[in-house]
Amino acid sequence: MNDFHDTLSRAADLLARADALLIGAGAGMGVDSGLPDFRGTEGFWRAYPPLAKLGLRFEEMADPRWFAQDPEFAWGFYGHRLRLYRETAPHPGFAILRKWAGSMPLGAFVHTSNVDGHFQRAGFSPEHVCEVHGSLNHLQCLAPRPCGQALWSAEGVEVSVDSDSLRAAPPLPACPACGDLARPNILMFGDFRWDSRRTSEQGERFRKWLAATRGHRLLVVELGAGNAIATIRHACEEVAEEEGATLLRINLRDGQVPAGSNALSL
C-alpha cells in the first residue's frame, strides 16, 4: 500500500510540474462510461450475444469484407455501436483530464485508438485529438471507383438494427454524391480501403504539437491501453523514450512498464 501511495504522490508531483500533457487512451478508457472493451472473446460475446451464437470473434466481425458480402449484417454491428456511443455519456474522468489539460502552459493532446468520439464530446478540442483508428462518427464511400466524395459526418445518420439478429434494415447509409454504400471511417482488420486522410491530418497536427513541446517538461498519461491491440501502449512508450518524458501508465490489468524506463504504473 505504501508503494501505491508513493507512486501516486510522484505522479501528482509530475503533473503539477509538467508544461505539456499527452493523453494516450485505449478501449479501457470507455469502460466506466458503460462501454464494452471487447476484452477477449467472452467479453465480446457478452456484449453481442447474436455473434456468440455464430461463433464470430471481434477480429472476424471487424472485417471490411462484410460490407461487400452482407452489408445488412455489417451495418447491424456498426449501427448498434454507433447508437451505443451516442447514447453513452463520457464518464467524469474525462472532465478530470480536461482540468489537467487546462493547467498546462503548452496545453495537451489526445492520442487514442478509440473510435467513439467521446473526447470531443467531453469538450476536448478536435484540433488536439488524434484518432489513430479513425472514427465511427465519420463515413466514407464504398464505390468501386472514387466518386470524389470527401469523408462526411455521420451526424443525423440513423441505422435501424434488430437486436436479436444484429441485422440492419434498409435503407443503409449511402454516399451523398453517388448513392453507393457507405461504411464507417474506421480501420478494420486487413483493411486496404480505409480512407486515412482525416487521421493523417490529425497525426500531422500531433507531430507539430509534440515538436513544440521539446525542451519543456512533457508528461505522458496513458489510460486503459491493453496488450491485445497495443497501438497506444507502443506509441506512448515511444514518445516518452524519444522526448525524454515520463510515462504514467494507468491500467487495472496491464500495468507493467518497460524495464529501465522512466515510467510509473498505477
Side-chain angles (χ1 to χ4, degrees), residues 58-77:
F58 175 71
E59 295 86 350
E60 294 170 311
M61 196 63 224
D63 188 319
R65 68 184 175 89
W66 292 111
F67 285 95
Q69 295 179 4
D70 194 343
E72 287 82 8
F73 191 41
W75 265 115
F77 177 54

Side-chain angles (χ1 to χ4, degrees), residues 149-162:
Q149 173 64 41
L151 302 180
W152 70 97
S153 172
E155 185 176 356
V157 173
E158 298 291 341
V159 183
S160 177
V161 180
D162 181 270

Side-chain angles (χ1 to χ4, degrees), residues 2-50:
N2 287 337
D3 288 344
F4 172 77
H5 286 295
D6 287 346
T7 303
L8 198 61
S9 178
R10 289 177 60 198
D13 182 59
L14 287 166
L15 187 63
R17 293 189 293 109
D19 298 313
L21 178 66
L22 171 60
I23 300 167
M29 181 65 188
V31 171
D32 281 347
S33 299
L35 297 176
D37 65 356
F38 303 148
R39 184 181 176 86
T41 301
E42 292 303 319
F44 178 57
W45 286 347
R46 279 195 299 271
Y48 290 100

Side-chain angles (χ1 to χ4, degrees), residues 104-189:
M104 297 291 150
L106 297 178
F109 214 104
V110 175
H111 195 71
T112 181
S113 59
N114 297 341
V115 299
D116 51 35
H118 277 199
F119 277 99
Q120 293 91 325
R121 282 183 55 192
F124 283 84
S125 168
E127 298 300 305
H128 279 199
V129 177
C130 181
E131 298 158 302
V132 296
H133 291 166
S135 168
L136 195 52
N137 297 299
H138 290 79
L139 304 179
Q140 67 179 74
C141 180
L142 265 177
R145 295 181 181 179
C147 70
Q149 173 64 41
L151 302 180
W152 70 97
S153 172
E155 185 176 356
V157 173
E158 298 291 341
V159 183
S160 177
V161 180
D162 181 270
S163 58
D164 292 328
S165 64
L166 204 66
R167 298 188 69 83
L172 301 179
C175 174
C178 69
D180 213 314
L181 183 68
R183 56 160 274 186
N185 180 234
I186 61 176
L187 178 63
M188 305 178 202
F189 291 93

